[in-house]
Amino acid sequence: MSKVRQAPVKHGTISAVEDSVSRRPETIVSPSLERRRSRWNIPAIVPYGATAILTVLFLFYFLNLWNCDLRTPIDVPAGDYYMSSAIVKGVMQNGWYTTNPNLGAPHGLDFQDFPMAEGLHFIFYQIAGLLGISVALAINIHYILGYILIALTSLYVFRRFRLPLVPSIAASMLFAFMPHHYMRGEYHLMLSSYYVIPLTVLVILQVSQGQAFIEPTSSPSRFPYRLTREGAAAAIICAMTGSAGIYYAFFAAAFFGIAGLYAIARRPSWRQAITASLPIATLGAFLVLNVSPTLIYQMRHGANPEVGKRIPIEADIYGMKVTQLLLPITNHRLPSFARMKAQYLAATSPYLPNNDLTVTLGAITSIGFLFLIAWLLWGNEARRDGQILTPLSILNVSAVLIATLGGFGSLFAFGISPQIRCYHRISIYISFFALLALLIALQKSQALWFGSGFRARTFYLASGVIMFAGLWDLTPAAWANRAAIQNAFASDRDFIRSIENAVPRASMIYQMPYFPFPESPPAGGMVDYDPLRAYLHSDHLRWSYGAMKGRPADSWQKAIATKTGSELLTILASAGFRGIYIDRFGYADRAVDLSGKLASLLAVQALESRDKRFVFFSMEKYIAEHRKQASPEEWSRLQRESTKLPLGISFSGCSGLESSPAQNWRWCAYDGEIQISNPDVQPHEVSLRMNVKSGFPEYADFDMEGPISKKLQINHLGQDIVENLVVPPGRHSIRLHCNAKRIESKTDPRPLVFAIMNLGIIDK
């Protein structure tokens, strides 16, 4: 790469990036384009209107929306689609996603263990909820608007760099129809809404060019500096980025850091360092604000190790592969390309399980990607266009180094946090870098070889046509079977309506089989989030599925799931459930045995869905007879006992639970903590039982402080502890300390000092 030549940057009302690319019209700004503007006097809004219309027309063609009822899903609903839809419905019904009384009955869903930073997108659904739009229609409108907004923000950024109009419109549509968008679709609804990324890249490039975001105030003031116009715009964009998803914000922060280092290397100064840090600070502040419900909740209730569990190796499992960027899309329109991709997937899938299909760039965008790599090696930064292409090429290769298998993302996962794991999602940033570089290269080619006037216009038109042809290369021909989608959707909808007609309003419905929430592997014929299908079609019922695993409400669900026959029905009736909903796909015998027993015990005929997958038993008759047999006092006691939440148990300073058929245990460091949470309004009288041991025959001191205060001598044989205690409402900690020798293991780096064996807390 050539030696960096420092270029002066003019600050003022025009952005430094735009100024740096406009001082030599013959390189970046087309003189013919400027003359056309003045001669034709085209209003600035016309290109954006044309882009929106073209995007909608191609979207209708590509997704076959002519034959789509927008009150049903656009693609086949399954898995994460139901999760996304449930979050959306929760926002529309309750104003926000954090709690939902219609899931996790009888205690409700508290979603605060699951961090979300999509506040920007939730605003749309809050408005949709106020307007009374159905959930499926709101999701479809938001998804379709996503294509339009992505194209418009892309065009805005391209035009900020004064790039040619027709190729810019084509590139904007290419970016909107990336596989990252349509293959994630409504399954990963928030990830497919990446319209903020072009604006974020604009600010990243402004940082790389040393754009002044602050300036001295002209009059005496408490604050000697203020935001410039560009600084205020950058702050708004960074706030949006920090509210548009954790992944996009995380990648943006990395790019801001790289761009800032590049700018400081070119023009070292403390003011440059402060200016470069402002976007990261703003983005970080809004990201923290968005996830603050989770941070506050876990400070109060402790971390939940069962939710969002990530391990460092997942950074490689979900890493990005350059091969996947450059290969054709799956099911390409050209049979030879389709075979090439199929052969690659068949050969590599057994060894690389994440052959992610959403990262493909397509032929046109791949040219821009390869051009940026070539520029990094042979480009001349001293040229005017190099002032943009050089930082773009650095950002491009940085993205690859971060996301590739075994890259810096893996180091981050192993050294800092494994919570960011899907590094292949950075590919959408790479796509925009590549398209922007390709447009700059086109403009430079025109200036060098095609002059101005008619030849320049012909060149731009031909370039635009070729890039529009890239849409054909980037999108597959076939789409979902609309009739099958609508029939399945109608079957679920009609079945839930029949349940609503069979029970009183606001009734609780118990769902079988028990399925943990969220993120659970398939069971039988059921996949993750299948039980949410009932909630999505329900207007005024409460459903048992959706209690957050690792919390007391889910412990209640698991305990109930172990009951059978009359015992189960008695508990459900006392807890207030009015019916039982069964997914036959969750049973090896398709619930034939269970349905027969319930029909006999409840003495009612089951309702059945049109597709025969779901059945429902009303408990109205059973509840009426059950209440006759109990006095009002006895019934009140049964209600309290049946919904009583178990205590929540968590640990600090100790490893995860390990087990064998005979026992379970967890190892702790020198200091550990047992945290007991009582979510009820009444105290719990319990008996705590456990065995504590060290790893050596020599005795060591073991101390307990808190609700239980105890001093013991323990060794490798273990010491039983049995204590009765009263646990008031709230969270309580039992602090543990042991001075035993640490077990040294070459294969286990954990601090193994003492083990807690077979811990049990039993209500008395």
Side-chain angles (χ1 to χ4, degrees):
M1 189 171 62
S2 60
K3 183 178 179 180
V4 173
R5 183 171 72 111
Q6 180 172 324
V9 178
K10 177 182 177 182
H11 302 301
T13 58
I14 300 177
S15 75
V17 175
E18 186 173 312
D19 185 64
S20 68
V21 299
S22 62
R23 281 175 288 171
R24 291 265 311 268
E26 71 276 14
T27 58
I28 299 298
V29 181
S30 167
S32 59
L33 178 59
E34 294 294 334
R35 286 196 294 271
R36 287 202 307 277
R37 285 176 179 165
S38 60
R39 185 170 67 246
W40 294 349
N41 194 26
I42 301 175
I45 198 172
V46 170
Y48 296 95
T51 301
I53 292 171
L54 288 172
T55 302
V56 170
L57 290 176
F58 188 77
L59 186 63
F60 267 72
Y61 159 74
F62 171 52
L63 297 183
N64 193 21
L65 294 182
W66 312 105
N67 299 317
C68 180
D69 181 353
L70 290 181
R71 294 169 298 179
T72 64
I74 288 176
D75 201 355
V76 179
D80 285 348
Y81 172 85
Y82 295 125
M83 175 64 152
S84 298
S85 300
I87 293 171
V88 164
K89 185 169 184 176
V91 172
M92 292 174 66
Q93 285 185 328
N94 308 307
W96 206 239
Y97 74 94
T98 49
T99 57
N100 191 335
N102 294 321
L103 289 171
H107 304 102
L109 165 62
D110 196 325
F111 202 67
Q112 295 178 90
D113 274 322
F114 206 93
M116 299 200 71
E118 283 81 9
L120 177 65
H121 306 311
F122 290 158
I123 294 172
F124 171 85
Y125 292 110
Q126 288 176 321
I127 296 171
L130 293 174
L131 296 176
I133 299 174
S134 71
V135 174
L137 179 59
I139 289 173
N140 288 338
I141 292 173
H142 184 252
Y143 181 60
I144 292 170
L145 280 176
Y147 285 92
I148 300 170
L149 290 175
I150 291 166
L152 293 179
T153 56
S154 300
L155 181 62
Y156 170 77
V157 173
F158 295 150
R159 299 300 284 163
R160 277 292 297 268
F161 288 98
R162 302 185 184 180
L163 296 167
L165 179 60
V166 175
S168 293
I169 293 175
S172 299
M173 292 182 63
L174 275 175
F175 188 64
F177 285 90
M178 282 288 156
H180 182 91
H181 194 169
Y182 65 78
M183 293 191 73
R184 294 195 180 281
E186 295 177 340
Y187 288 79
H188 291 163
L189 185 61
M190 308 305 171
L191 285 171
S192 65
S193 300
Y194 54 87
Y195 50 83
V196 177
I197 285 181
L199 302 175
T200 307
V201 173
L202 175 64
V203 180
I204 292 169
L205 290 173
Q206 288 177 330
V207 170
S208 74
Q209 295 299 301
Q211 171 67 58
F213 293 143
I214 57 173
E215 63 183 4
T217 54
S218 57
S219 58
S221 171
R222 177 186 298 179
F223 302 103
Y225 293 93
R226 65 183 179 187
L227 287 174
T228 63
R229 187 176 68 179
E230 292 76 16
I236 293 172
I237 292 170
C238 289
M240 294 169 65
T241 306
S243 305
I246 292 175
Y247 273 94
Y248 296 149
F250 177 81
F251 297 143
F255 291 137
F256 277 127
I258 293 165
L261 292 174
Y262 172 80
I264 293 169
R266 298 177 72 208
R267 289 175 291 275
S269 72
W270 65 268
R271 185 173 296 177
Q272 184 67 60
I274 294 175
T275 298
S277 67
L278 288 177
I280 298 179
T282 305
L283 185 152
F286 275 85
L287 180 61
V288 170
L289 180 64
N290 273 269
V291 301
S292 60
T294 296
L295 299 177
I296 295 171
Y297 180 80
Q298 294 193 347
M299 286 174 60
R300 292 175 176 172
H301 301 279
N304 187 344
E306 293 191 38
V307 174
K309 290 189 295 186
R310 306 289 185 257
I311 57 177
I313 193 61
E314 289 180 298
D316 282 339
I317 293 175
Y318 298 105
M320 186 184 73
K321 299 187 286 293
V322 174
T323 310
Q324 281 287 61
L325 289 176
L326 301 178
L327 280 175
I329 62 168
T330 305
N331 299 322
H332 195 278
R333 297 172 191 265
L334 288 178
S336 59
F337 281 15
R339 285 195 299 272
M340 181 196 306
K341 185 62 171 285
Q343 289 169 358
Y344 172 81
L345 294 176
T348 58
S349 291
Y351 311 101
L352 299 172
N354 176 40
N355 264 315
D356 190 80
L357 306 179
T358 68
V359 303
T360 305
L361 298 179
I364 300 296
T365 312
S366 293
I367 294 172
F369 172 74
L370 296 173
F371 170 73
L372 282 176
I373 294 177
W375 183 272
L376 187 67
L377 298 173
W378 298 294
N380 182 4
E381 187 186 10
R383 289 166 31 176
R384 299 299 182 189
D385 50 359
Q387 295 180 19
I388 302 299
L389 289 174
T390 298
L392 267 180
S393 65
I394 292 173
L395 291 169
N396 184 60
V397 75
S398 298
V400 173
L401 292 175
I402 289 170
T404 191
L405 297 181
F408 287 99
S410 294
L411 291 176
F412 184 89
F414 278 90
I416 299 176
S417 171
Q419 292 303 114
I420 300 294
R421 59 172 180 166
C422 299
Y423 283 92
H424 62 269
R425 294 174 181 175
I426 207 171
S427 64
I428 196 62
Y429 277 97
I430 294 175
S431 301
F432 194 79
F433 297 155
L435 288 169
L436 179 55
L438 187 60
L439 289 174
I440 294 174
L442 282 174
Q443 192 172 60
K444 181 61 178 177
S445 299
Q446 175 270 315
L448 288 176
W449 299 318
F450 294 92
S452 59
F454 176 77
R455 292 176 64 190
R457 289 194 291 272
T458 303
F459 173 76
Y460 286 145
L461 181 61
S463 302
V465 170
I466 292 172
M467 295 180 73
F468 275 118
L471 291 170
W472 180 88
D473 166 71
L474 201 61
T475 54
W479 200 252
N481 185 329
R482 296 282 178 225
I485 293 173
Q486 293 174 11
N487 288 338
F489 191 84
S491 175
D492 289 354
R493 179 197 61 211
D494 294 344
F495 180 60
I496 299 305
R497 286 179 179 174
S498 67
I499 294 175
E500 290 184 325
N501 293 331
V503 296
R505 191 179 184 87
S507 292
M508 294 192 298
I509 308 299
Y510 184 71
Q511 295 175 266
M512 299 180 73
Y514 164 76
F515 208 81
F517 175 88
E519 295 182 332
S520 294
M526 294 177 65
V527 297
D528 204 6
Y529 307 124
D530 264 352
L532 287 173
R533 296 169 67 156
Y535 165 66
L536 294 176
H537 289 281
S538 169
D539 293 327
H540 51 75
L541 296 177
R542 299 175 61 197
W543 303 87
S544 63
Y545 175 71
M548 185 65 69
K549 65 183 180 184
R551 296 297 182 186
D554 180 63
S555 298
W556 185 91
Q557 298 275 358
K558 285 192 287 189
I560 297 301
T562 63
K563 312 298 182 184
T564 59
S566 297
E567 183 182 12
L568 171 65
L569 295 180
T570 299
I571 294 174
L572 294 180
S574 303
F577 286 94
R578 297 299 188 109
I580 298 174
Y581 166 103
I582 300 173
D583 187 339
R584 286 175 166 156
F585 280 20
Y587 297 88
D589 68 343
R590 291 297 189 258
V592 172
D593 182 60
L594 174 63
S595 298
K597 290 178 179 178
L598 289 177
S600 175
L601 290 169
L602 295 171
V604 295
Q605 186 175 359
L607 299 175
E608 188 175 55
S609 65
R610 190 191 311 163
D611 60 7
K612 310 299 182 183
R613 175 170 177 174
F614 305 106
V615 292
F616 173 77
F617 292 92
S618 172
M619 295 180 61
E620 292 296 305
K621 181 179 178 181
Y622 182 89
I623 292 170
E625 294 177 356
H626 192 65
R627 291 200 63 171
K628 289 179 183 177
Q629 299 173 8
S631 65
E633 294 78 13
E634 178 68 11
W635 183 252
S636 296
R637 185 189 66 80
L638 288 173
Q639 287 180 308
R640 288 194 304 271
E641 292 296 322
S642 63
T643 58
K644 187 177 182 180
L645 283 169
L647 298 178
I649 310 295
S650 59
F651 295 82
S652 177
C654 301
S655 66
L657 187 66
E658 302 172 77
S659 63
S660 69
Q663 58 188 355
N664 62 72
W665 66 92
R666 62 181 76 230
W667 282 98
C668 302
Y670 295 101
D671 292 285
E673 194 172 277
I674 302 175
Q675 298 155 347
I676 304 176
S677 299
N678 180 1
D680 275 348
V681 295
Q682 299 294 330
H684 278 228
E685 294 185 28
V686 300
S687 175
L688 182 147
R689 301 164 184 259
M690 65 181 181
N691 182 280
V692 185
K693 72 174 187 178
S694 69
F696 299 93
E698 296 84 7
Y699 281 95
D701 296 325
F702 178 80
D703 299 335
M704 303 177 68
E705 296 180 357
I708 300 175
S709 181
K710 210 171 189 64
K711 294 182 180 294
L712 302 171
Q713 293 280 306
I714 65 171
N715 66 359
H716 69 293
L717 298 177
Q719 178 71 47
D720 289 328
I721 298 175
V722 179
E723 290 287 333
N724 297 323
L725 67 155
V726 176
V727 183
R731 189 161 171 253
H732 313 277
S733 297
I734 302 174
R735 295 177 296 279
L736 313 174
H737 174 76
C738 183
N739 63 1
K741 290 190 299 182
R742 172 178 172 175
I743 299 174
E744 300 293 340
S745 172
K746 294 181 179 180
T747 59
D748 192 340
R750 294 177 300 171
L752 310 176
V753 178
F754 68 94
I756 300 173
M757 312 285 296
N758 302 322
L759 173 66
I761 298 182
I762 304 169
D763 275 300
K764 297 179 65 177

